[in-house]
Every structure is written in C-alpha cells, then in structure tokens.
C-alpha cells in the first residue's frame, strides 16, 4: 500500500480549507463530526492537514477505555506487527476552549506538556470534564459528533479488547498467546475521513459547553492514577501501547 504521497503544493492549498463537517468512515460504520474551526482554528487546521494528506486513511482505533475514551489517529496496520505509526506534522498549540463532555473529539498529547498534541485524538465516551478540562492544561476539544453518530462510537466502545485495543472476532485466548497476532480483519479501521460540508457556519446551531474549570494557576492537578482497567494482552499490544507516548489519565 502506498501512503502519504502528496505534493507539497496540494497539501498547503487543501489544508487551508475551512472544512467544518467531516465523516469518519470506519469498518464498523460511518459517523459525522462537526469541527469548531472558528473557535479552535489551530487544532482544526492541524487535523485537516492529516485529513487532506490521507494520513488518517486506514488508521485504527488503538485505545479503548470503556466509559472513558476511544482513541485513534496514531497507528495503522500494514500486514505485520508492530503497527506502523502515522507520520507527524509536528505539535500544535493547546486551545482548551470547550469542555470534554460526551460526544466531543479532543486531542491527545504528551503527559506534562500542554502543547504536545500532534496526530492523535480521542472521543469522549462520557462527561470527562471534571478530569480532562483541567488535566495537563486542559485537553483541546475541537469538534463534536452529530446526528446519530454516537451510536457507531458506542458500538465500537462495546467491543472486546486485547490490552486496550478494540478488536472483532479475536478471543481472549488469542490475546493471551504471544505467538498469535491479529490481522487486518480484527482491527477497527478508519477507512477514510472525508469532508462533507466546508461551510464556515455549520456550527452555528450547536451549543458546545465551554471549559469553565481550567484556571491559569491550576493547569494540571498532578494527581490521579493511570487507568488500570485494561486486561493483560499479548506482547504486540503491550509493546505498541508503550510506544504510543500519549497519555490521558483516568481519575477515580
């Protein structure tokens, strides 16, 4: 498979488009997301660079924490393990305008570095505002799932996991066997992210909740444990997650 072969001129031209509604076409169904390009412009511009360069084509959802987050944008499967990593365009400044409530999409980033988001993002499966609105400078929400799209997200969130990776048709016995790895049919793949509506005012009828919890003197509580809900998985998932380098801590 040939990936990421776009001319520089095309990338610059297309990344400036004010696309506000995109569709995630996944192996479990499609859903749409309205991006807040007017209020989180740097983050949306960064996201659209990856969309327009097809760098989100065939990426997988590589982390699922039930009743917390569903994360992607970092890895894709090219026929073998370990997984391949999405090529980064670099970091983007944090824009913690909105709250991490259920149905929103936000950027993942390095622990202890508020401005370290690059390609990875996550969907909030519940209201995570008390935690993620203040953790690490606040996690930047830059869009929300619209229509009945959360039906698809919730469907994925109910799948079995190997480690923290959601998979289909993959038993816990296989997961525990270090000699057995999943193949393309097992991963939850994003086949493409496409522009549906590039109007600038598509978010006018939305009322996203503002982040009112973040204080300049309290960018990160510094407490809380890393999530330990994940079951023990095979070597492939443990190594992949260790290499992810992006942390979203779940507080109890």
């Amino acid at each position: 498979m040939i990936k990421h072969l776009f001319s520089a001129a095309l990338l610059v031209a297309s990344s400036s488009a004010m696309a506000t509604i995109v569709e995630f076409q996944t192996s479990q169904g499609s859903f749409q997301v309205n991006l807040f390009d007017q209020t989180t412009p740097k983050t949306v511009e960064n996201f659209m660079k990856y969309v327009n360069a097809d760098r989100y084509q065939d990426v997988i959802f590589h982390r699922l924490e039930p009743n917390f987050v569903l994360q992607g944008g970092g890895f894709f499967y090219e026929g073998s393990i370990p997984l391949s990593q999405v090529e980064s365009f670099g970091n983007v400044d944090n824009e913690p305008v909105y709250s991490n409530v259920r149905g929103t999409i936000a950027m993942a980033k390095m622990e202890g570095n508020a401005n370290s988001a690059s390609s990875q993002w996550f969907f909030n499966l519940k209201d995570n505002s008390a935690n993620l609105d203040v953790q690490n400078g606040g996690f930047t929400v830059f869009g929300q799932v619209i229509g009945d799209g959360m039906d698809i997200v919730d469907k994925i969130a109910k799948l079995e996991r190997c480690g923290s990776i959601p998979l289909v048709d993959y038993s816990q016995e296989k997961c525990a066997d270090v000699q057995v790895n999943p193949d393309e049919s097992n991963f939850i793949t994003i086949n493409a992210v496409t522009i549906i509506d590039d109007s600038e005012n598509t978010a006018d009828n939305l009322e996203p909740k503002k982040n009112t919890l973040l204080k300049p003197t309290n960018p990160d509580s510094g407490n809380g444990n890393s999530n330990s809900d994940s079951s023990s998985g095979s070597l492939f998932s443990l190594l992949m997650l260790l290499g992810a380098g992006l942390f979203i801590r779940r507080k109890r």
Side-chain angles (χ1 to χ4, degrees):
M1 180 181 298
I2 299 176
K3 285 180 174 286
H4 315 333
L5 298 180
F6 275 72
S7 69
L10 176 60
L11 177 59
V12 171
S14 58
S15 65
S16 62
M18 299 293 285
T20 55
I21 297 180
V22 294
E23 184 171 78
F24 285 70
Q25 299 170 357
T26 84
S27 57
Q28 292 292 302
S30 299
F31 59 91
Q32 295 182 3
V33 174
N34 202 134
L35 305 178
F36 304 139
D37 55 352
Q38 302 297 305
T39 42
T40 56
K42 294 179 181 178
T43 307
V44 171
E45 181 181 9
N46 174 74
F47 178 82
M48 291 307 302
K49 285 181 181 179
Y50 292 92
V51 171
N52 290 317
D54 271 3
R55 292 193 185 181
Y56 288 146
Q57 182 176 332
D58 297 329
V59 300
I60 67 165
F61 285 106
H62 68 270
R63 182 188 181 197
L64 166 62
E65 305 296 348
N67 202 36
F68 184 38
V69 298
L70 175 65
Q71 187 170 339
F75 300 91
F76 54 93
Y77 177 78
E78 286 193 307
S80 63
I81 301 298
L83 298 172
S84 300
Q85 193 160 1
V86 172
E87 183 181 355
S88 173
F89 283 118
N91 296 343
V92 60
D93 291 342
N94 203 33
E95 296 177 303
V97 177
Y98 295 118
S99 185
N100 284 267
V101 296
R102 172 174 161 79
T104 56
I105 184 173
M107 296 301 295
K109 52 189 173 179
M110 297 292 291
E111 186 172 25
N113 186 345
N115 298 310
S116 60
S118 56
S119 71
Q120 294 192 36
W121 34 259
F122 59 92
F123 291 100
N124 284 293
L125 300 177
K126 72 175 186 67
D127 185 346
N128 293 314
S129 57
N131 176 7
L132 301 187
D133 283 7
V134 297
Q135 186 187 134
N136 198 3
F139 284 84
T140 297
V141 168
F142 63 100
Q144 72 179 57
V145 179
I146 57 176
D148 57 0
M150 283 304 291
D151 290 347
I152 301 297
V153 177
D154 288 337
K155 176 184 176 182
I156 298 171
K158 293 176 182 178
L159 294 173
E160 292 289 331
R161 298 180 297 161
C162 183
S164 290
I165 304 176
L167 297 170
V168 294
D169 300 326
Y170 200 75
S171 67
Q172 290 302 307
E173 289 77 15
K174 289 182 179 179
C175 179
D177 188 344
V178 297
Q179 301 299 320
V180 179
N181 287 324
D183 60 28
E184 184 175 7
S185 65
N186 301 124
F187 290 109
I188 313 306
T189 304
I190 298 170
N191 302 314
V193 179
T194 61
I195 299 170
I196 298 299
D197 190 336
D198 62 0
S199 302
E200 294 187 17
N201 60 353
T202 57
D204 285 354
N205 63 336
L206 303 178
E207 296 181 356
K209 182 181 178 181
K210 290 291 186 69
N211 181 349
T212 60
L213 300 178
L214 186 65
K215 307 297 181 184
T217 57
N218 184 30
D220 192 351
S221 65
N223 298 315
N225 300 318
S226 59
N227 181 36
S228 59
D229 286 347
S230 303
S231 59
S232 297
S234 64
L235 183 61
F236 99 89
S237 59
L238 296 178
L239 289 176
M240 195 282 294
L241 290 173
L242 285 173
L246 289 146
F247 296 87
I248 309 164
R249 294 179 300 184
R250 182 175 187 173
K251 295 182 179 178
R252 302 201 179 274

